[in-house]
Amino acid sequence: MRRTLVFSLAVALLAGGMAALQPAAAQPDAKHAMHDSEHAAAAPAAATAAAPAAGAASGAPAPGSARAIVLRQIVAAQEKLVALAEAMPADKYGWRPGEGVRSVGEVFMHVASANFWLPTFWGAKVPAGVDPRNLEKEGADKAKTVAVLKQSFDFVHQAVNALPDSDLHKPIKIFGHDAIVAEAMMGIASHDHEHLGQAIAYARMNGVVPPWSAAEGQRGR
């Protein structure tokens, strides 16, 4: 996750000008991936329903608040990443576009790893039995990967909903540099969307049409 991207997202949010956080990721099939991603922030009804449900126990953030905006973007990526993980055939989880590049399963586990790890910057505790550092090694197992990916997003919702708004400007360290809690929170959204673009490209390269595109009749577009 690039530090410059995290900082730019932080500035946008704190200035009040952030309407949507959906960074474009470089990918081998840019035409399809850009089309498939363009509606990632256009699911307000689903996002509104998902975020409060995840944070019901601790209280969902107020509509329009910084946490609500970031959660909406996380949900937009979450729904599509999980849908892609479920749509990819199990025998494709070991596929990779080249030597030294993450495989299909490793990409999804990498997303899960960051989802578990980034909230620890503001004090959230990783669930017992989860080791974010070693998740990618188990990416060849589709069933486990899908389950862990879902669990990681549940954890993100809990961690963000439990975060008081008063802590958003609390100073922390991220990768050794001075930052604030809001940067770590927004880093989750940017990282999820970055690898959503990668996962879309992987799917297209393997002849898998993203479920939301298939539903819209975009198979050949």
Side-chain angles (χ1 to χ4, degrees):
M1 179 176 56
R2 301 175 181 84
R3 296 179 183 177
T4 54
L5 177 57
V6 175
F7 274 117
S8 65
L9 289 168
V11 171
L13 176 58
L14 297 176
M18 183 182 69
L21 289 171
Q22 186 179 334
Q27 54 221 234
D29 191 353
K31 178 180 177 182
H32 283 119
M34 287 176 67
H35 170 79
D36 296 328
S37 297
E38 65 184 357
H39 300 302
T48 300
S58 55
S65 67
R67 288 186 299 127
I69 291 171
V70 174
L71 274 177
R72 185 163 63 245
Q73 295 307 315
I74 291 172
V75 169
Q78 171 185 348
E79 292 177 343
K80 292 182 187 253
L81 280 163
V82 171
L84 277 177
E86 293 177 333
M88 287 295 289
D91 62 0
K92 294 295 185 181
Y93 264 63
W95 180 89
R96 66 185 75 241
E99 186 70 25
V101 182
R102 287 188 179 97
S103 67
V104 169
E106 287 169 350
V107 167
F108 292 127
M109 280 297 206
H110 176 68
V111 171
S113 176
N115 284 349
F116 283 121
W117 183 51
L118 288 173
T120 67
F121 282 119
W122 68 75
K125 303 298 183 183
V126 175
V130 174
D131 183 358
R133 297 168 298 180
N134 292 312
L135 289 180
E136 288 187 39
K137 298 176 183 178
E138 303 180 71
D141 185 330
K142 175 179 177 176
K144 182 165 187 175
T145 299
V146 172
V148 170
L149 183 63
K150 291 179 178 179
Q151 181 189 10
S152 76
F153 278 111
D154 288 342
F155 175 70
V156 166
H157 284 292
Q158 293 166 9
V160 173
N161 278 312
L163 179 65
D165 287 330
S166 58
D167 281 0
L168 292 179
H169 291 76
K170 182 179 179 181
I172 58 173
K173 290 283 188 180
I174 298 181
F175 306 122
H177 69 76
D178 293 329
I180 59 175
V181 169
E183 290 183 70
M185 184 178 68
M186 289 184 295
I188 298 170
S190 69
H191 188 262
D192 289 343
H193 279 282
E194 175 185 353
H195 291 290
L196 170 59
Q198 183 181 14
I200 289 170
Y202 277 28
R204 289 288 189 178
M205 291 173 72
N206 282 281
V208 175
V209 179
W212 58 91
S213 291
E216 296 173 1
Q218 306 288 343
R219 182 173 296 275
R221 294 174 59 183

